[in-house]
Amino acid sequence: MSEELNKKQYSADSIQALEGMEHVRMRPSMYIGDVGVRGLHHLVYEVVDNSIDEAMGGYCDNIKVTINEDNSITVEDNGRGIPVGLHKKEGVSALEVVMTKIGAGGKFDKDSYKVSGGLHGVGVSCVNALSNHLKATVHREGKVWEQEYERGKALYPVKSIGETNVTGTVVTFYPDDTIFTQTTEYNYETLANRMRELAYLNKGITITITDKREKDEKGEYVGETFHSEEGLKEFIKFLDATREPLINYVISMEGEKNGIPVEVAMVYNTGFSENLHSYVNNINTHEGGTHLSGFRRGLTSTLKKYADSSGLLDKVKFEISGDDFREGLTAIVSVKVAEPQFEGQTKTKLGNREVTSAVSQAVSEMLTDYLEENPDDAKQIVEKVKLAAQARHAAAKAREMVQRKNPMGGGGLPGKLSDCSDQDPEKCEIFLVEGDSAGGTAKMGRDRNFQAILPLRGKILNVEKAMQHKVFENEEIKNIYTALGVTIGTEEDSKALNLEKLRYHKVVIMCDADVDGSHIETLILTFFFRYMRELIESGHVYIATPPLYLVKKGAKKRYAWNDKERDEIVESMGGQAGIQRYKGLGEMNAEQLWDTTMNPEFRTLRRVTIDNATESDRIFSMLMGDEVPPRREFIEKNAVYANIDA
Ligand code: 0RA
């Protein structure tokens, strides 16, 4: 009995002890999502969010983020400075409470409107817990205050180290490499993209990012300054820069509805895809939710009402659906919700019911005014909607064809597919291979038990520039649908992808490591991004990485995936080795392809993720769209393969 009690007591104590900072270190993923690249970058967002909060309260307009030479991060703002006075309940300075108590972040400032905060809203104390070392410097009340921490524990009480005539907070932290075991190296572009996004979402703030690890041609540190006076209105121009506008005007509104701050901006382009981006408290809600439903509802009802009453639809015989109003539409919806409920697989779907009608009303008012004041634009939009409806009817027919040929529908698998024998989707993989000849090699090299091969002929259709029915009529694309066993339309959503009968849990794109190969890879990814995004989001899409070199000396043979590796291998062989550069998969024999690229024991597959859907959307439309200059610039900046072939 007493032993029993002891046990209970013990576990209660251990839970107590684990509370807070220790728990963060023990279960970091619970707080920051993961301890990979994403989680590492999340630390920065968490610290910056505190400064954004301060800015949203109107106390700060300048935020500086620096990647230091040693990969530590400094975030600096010109806000009021975190209070350093005694926190009565805790008996230490408020700064120490903010930095070392989980969930304490700024709770003692009830008046300010706090809605920002990272994906998990865990606060800067989490960052502290997950850092080897962190230093907080506060400029406040004429003095400079400082406190340092190791793995979340204060090294000394707050001390004054000098005088100052400004206010603000500076935080420098070193991510703990025993927690972030994969990497502690920051990616400039990832951070810069988020800072740009934050600057657009919070107009008026200036956010500067500097990378002290790298200098440009002029000998200056790499960096950018982001500042937007017009917020979403400018954001949408940035997102749609490579598309051809249908109307030369950004429709936008900003205001409060039922106590919920709502901001919306939208434009129509001549393209066919729908690009909706939504944010709640500066967080990108990839899975949408009630705010996006409100947007759709407001848009459809207002446009429909206008089109009906203006007589523009008088001679139209077919029915017009909600989707038709969104073809060629790029829109951003940003709301601030005091107590957001996040749902969905990745917790990025807003659940708060009250938000739907707030956004819907806001959009209706905005659009009604706009349509009345701009009858010419209104007519253009309605004409586009009519065309979209027409095309949708054609697409529906083509899509039926895709579905009828579905393996479960009895239509049979594509003739070009070399299927595997195992029937368990979880164990099965399909390789989408560029060209029939590489397809042949892959077919010979594979393990036919669980690996299927689908050769794709030449360049697949650029879906970014094609109307929907053309996409569904395309042979290669039909083959992909049929081979994968996925269909379009679920009970909930007629356009959603149905993955229930997915036949392979790994879908691997295998292309040559050259310019053409990477182009084809981009075309296939564009197709997946626009038409099978759920497949990417559920983690089923991978890219194979064939080696670039074979290094030979005598009987010794080794493969290299980049120049550095090649040189190291040559050196390890004592120099003077023969080097073969693989120009394509076709130059490898079946055994080599298996050894290097297909054998699960030795290969490297890169899983495709959508880190930042907003940026991905922009890049796909740029890479696959009509305008050449931005594409050339991107390719030159990212020309891994182009250089090799030059
Ligand atoms: C609570 C109260 C006050 C400032 C802050 C929080 C604050 C926190 C952070 C985090 C990063 N930068 C920050 N700047 C300010 C001040 C309350 C007052 O001065 O009355």
Side-chain angles (χ1 to χ4, degrees), residues 451 545-547 559 561 565 591-605:
Q451 293 179 319
T545 54
Y559 301 96
W561 273 258
E565 234 172 41
E591 193 191 334
Q592 290 170 327
L593 190 61
W594 164 256
D595 284 343
T596 58
T597 314
M598 298 178 77
N599 181 353
E601 260 186 75
F602 300 114
R603 72 186 180 195
T604 306
L605 292 185

Side-chain angles (χ1 to χ4, degrees), residues 335-605:
V335 295
K336 304 273 154 77
V337 181
E339 282 177 42
Q341 288 145 24
F342 290 113
E343 304 168 348
Q345 277 194 330
T346 54
K347 292 270 174 278
T348 56
K349 182 176 181 183
L350 184 67
N352 303 53
R353 297 269 133 228
E354 70 280 9
V355 179
T356 305
S357 61
V359 178
S360 165
Q361 279 175 42
V363 170
S364 289
E365 284 170 22
M366 163 186 89
L367 264 180
T368 306
D369 288 352
Y370 171 78
L371 295 168
E372 270 167 20
E373 285 162 23
N374 302 276
D376 291 345
D377 287 356
K379 199 170 163 206
Q380 290 254 42
I381 294 171
V382 177
E383 285 304 322
K384 167 125 182 132
V385 171
K386 277 203 272 189
L387 275 178
Q390 222 164 2
R392 182 172 51 83
H393 286 274
K397 279 200 197 113
R399 201 156 50 209
E400 258 172 50
M401 294 303 291
V402 171
Q403 275 165 348
R404 215 170 290 151
K405 267 189 74 189
N406 182 281
M408 306 304 157
L413 292 163
K416 294 205 302 180
L417 174 74
S418 304
D419 206 6
C420 52
S421 48
D422 202 316
Q423 300 278 328
D424 179 1
E426 247 181 75
K427 295 192 191 118
C428 293
E429 313 177 343
I430 183 169
F431 286 78
L432 308 180
V433 189
E434 148 194 11
D436 287 332
S437 99
T441 315
K443 198 177 151 184
M444 285 193 293
R446 70 177 169 149
D447 181 335
R448 61 185 313 135
N449 285 315
F450 68 98
Q451 293 179 319
I453 308 293
L454 181 68
L456 300 173
R457 194 175 307 120
K459 305 230 152 156
I460 85 157
L461 182 71
N462 179 355
V463 302
E464 194 69 35
K465 286 206 229 166
M467 286 179 90
Q468 236 191 56
H469 65 97
K470 289 281 176 211
V471 175
F472 292 117
E473 280 162 11
N474 181 271
E475 269 317 306
E476 307 300 308
I477 286 176
K478 278 200 283 193
N479 282 341
I480 295 178
Y481 273 104
T482 326
L484 295 189
V486 299
T487 49
I488 301 146
T490 59
E491 260 179 38
E492 271 180 36
D493 181 350
S494 69
K495 266 180 83 182
L497 196 69
N498 190 343
L499 293 179
E500 268 169 41
K501 290 176 180 162
L502 178 66
R503 302 178 63 246
Y504 315 90
H505 278 198
K506 287 201 173 77
V507 178
V508 187
I509 303 170
M510 188 159 73
C511 293
D512 289 343
D514 64 4
V515 178
D516 274 353
S518 65
H519 186 213
I520 292 165
E521 187 181 294
T522 313
L523 286 167
I524 300 174
L525 281 174
T526 309
F527 164 68
F528 281 138
F529 185 71
R530 293 286 178 216
Y531 285 83
M532 294 196 178
R533 193 178 301 193
E534 294 93 331
L535 194 70
I536 304 182
E537 281 168 347
S538 49
H540 293 304
V541 181
Y542 297 82
I543 294 172
T545 54
L548 287 182
Y549 302 102
L550 172 63
V551 186
K552 267 200 279 198
K553 190 170 181 181
K556 273 192 262 176
K557 265 191 198 174
R558 281 182 61 194
Y559 301 96
W561 273 258
N562 54 50
D563 294 5
K564 188 167 161 257
E565 234 172 41
R566 174 199 61 195
D567 297 343
E568 280 166 7
I569 292 171
V570 172
E571 205 183 305
S572 78
M573 288 179 169
Q576 296 287 319
I579 295 168
Q580 183 190 347
R581 158 93 171 93
Y582 288 122
K583 288 248 170 59
L585 299 168
E587 287 181 18
M588 271 185 256
N589 64 35
E591 193 191 334
Q592 290 170 327
L593 190 61
W594 164 256
D595 284 343
T596 58
T597 314
M598 298 178 77
N599 181 353
E601 260 186 75
F602 300 114
R603 72 186 180 195
T604 306
L605 292 185

